[in-house]
Amino acid sequence: MNFYAIDFGHTNYKVAFFKNGNISSTCIYSYSKKSITENLCNTIKEEKFEKILCCNVLSEKVINSILKNLPEEIKNCLKFFRSSDCQKFIDLSYKKDVDRLGSDRAINLVGASQKTNKDLIVIDSGTATTIDYLDSSKTHCGGIILPSHTIINNYFNEILDFNFNEEDFNKSVFSHNTRSCVENGSIFSAYEVINNIIDIMKKTKSTDPDIFVTGGNAMHVIDNCNYSTIHVESLLFDGLMVLGS
């Protein structure tokens, strides 16, 4: 079966084409670039497909504005998955309203759950960094959300009355200008703290989980992580494949 999968993230959107159960191509687009409708139409028409599986974390208003100009033949093939759809494969921790859990987090867990029989941690480092724990019985124990390096830097850019990016950057805890202080602080806040969270999760659960890392900033996590990790760039698409099978 050949199909497309689309990940509508906060910063960009990704389109993958699955051929005979494997990803044969992936495209990443920025929302600020060309027309989204034009990009999707041009990308999707390149291969014959049976369906388009989707994950969306944008607001209903925003995603509807994106989809309204798509041709009907594409709209009719779109299948959006929510966190509640993942309950067939894993038991999610958000009991009062499971769909308040970001669908990307749930779908990542579905993808990772097919790759190991052990307890696992999924770290998705993108616009924000999410860390979720799934035990070997496929029960989601919960997780945590951290501000990303970019979010922290953008916040300081907004509150300061000058552009600190004009200053030189030196990587040191003994920073000598505002940019270096902010950049080094945001790196520690965004990445070094992940080790502490993993420490606590491992100690609390008394296990040695497999740690899967995905997302646009995955390599920064891996470079700063004290533990062995498994980088899976396509983890969300892997989860969509499971859900759509």
Side-chain angles (χ1 to χ4, degrees), residues 28-73:
I28 302 176
Y29 299 109
S30 169
Y31 292 110
S32 62
K33 299 295 183 183
K34 289 170 56 177
S35 162
I36 299 174
T37 300
E38 182 181 352
N39 278 338
L40 288 177
C41 289
N42 288 339
T43 303
I44 290 172
K45 74 180 183 181
E46 291 179 0
E47 303 278 0
K48 292 183 179 180
F49 65 94
E50 298 180 30
K51 53 189 175 181
I52 305 172
L53 311 179
C54 302
C55 171
N56 171 57
V57 297
L58 302 173
S59 69
E60 185 176 353
K61 179 180 179 180
V62 172
I63 193 64
N64 286 340
S65 70
I66 290 172
L67 301 179
K68 68 179 182 181
N69 294 320
L70 288 176
E72 290 300 319
E73 60 266 25

Side-chain angles (χ1 to χ4, degrees), residues 32 144 219:
S32 62
I144 198 164
M219 296 314 299

Side-chain angles (χ1 to χ4, degrees), residues 60-91:
E60 185 176 353
K61 179 180 179 180
V62 172
I63 193 64
N64 286 340
S65 70
I66 290 172
L67 301 179
K68 68 179 182 181
N69 294 320
L70 288 176
E72 290 300 319
E73 60 266 25
I74 292 180
K75 283 185 185 179
N76 293 336
C77 292
L78 296 174
K79 168 63 177 176
F80 283 85
F81 290 95
R82 302 186 300 172
S83 293
S84 51
D85 297 311
C86 299
Q87 294 274 63
K88 178 181 176 182
F89 300 92
I90 56 178
D91 181 18

Side-chain angles (χ1 to χ4, degrees), residues 77-201:
C77 292
L78 296 174
K79 168 63 177 176
F80 283 85
F81 290 95
R82 302 186 300 172
S83 293
S84 51
D85 297 311
C86 299
Q87 294 274 63
K88 178 181 176 182
F89 300 92
I90 56 178
D91 181 18
L92 294 171
S93 65
Y94 279 38
K95 298 305 181 186
K96 289 188 177 181
D97 187 349
V98 68
D99 284 320
R100 287 285 181 91
L101 175 69
S103 57
D104 54 342
R105 292 171 63 189
I107 295 171
N108 277 334
L109 288 169
V110 170
S113 72
Q114 306 298 303
K115 299 180 183 299
T116 182
N117 292 320
K118 296 173 55 180
D119 283 25
L120 65 90
I121 292 172
V122 170
I123 304 172
D124 185 354
S125 185
T127 304
T129 299
T130 60
I131 307 173
D132 285 283
Y133 196 103
L134 189 77
D135 69 21
S136 58
S137 67
K138 311 303 182 189
T139 298
H140 178 217
C141 301
I144 198 164
I145 299 175
L146 302 171
S148 69
H149 177 244
T150 301
I151 287 176
I152 298 170
N153 286 354
N154 287 345
Y155 173 76
F156 278 101
N157 256 325
E158 290 177 5
I159 65 173
L160 293 172
D161 59 0
F162 63 93
N163 182 3
F164 68 76
N165 287 316
E166 296 173 352
E167 299 178 334
D168 294 330
F169 172 67
N170 66 292
K171 188 174 182 180
S172 172
V173 292
F174 301 108
S175 301
H176 297 151
N177 59 33
T178 301
R179 178 185 177 185
S180 298
C181 287
V182 170
E183 291 267 10
N184 287 313
S186 62
I187 290 170
F188 276 103
S189 298
Y191 303 122
E192 295 292 340
V193 71
I194 292 173
N195 290 311
N196 298 87
I197 294 169
I198 295 173
D199 288 343
I200 295 169
M201 287 181 168

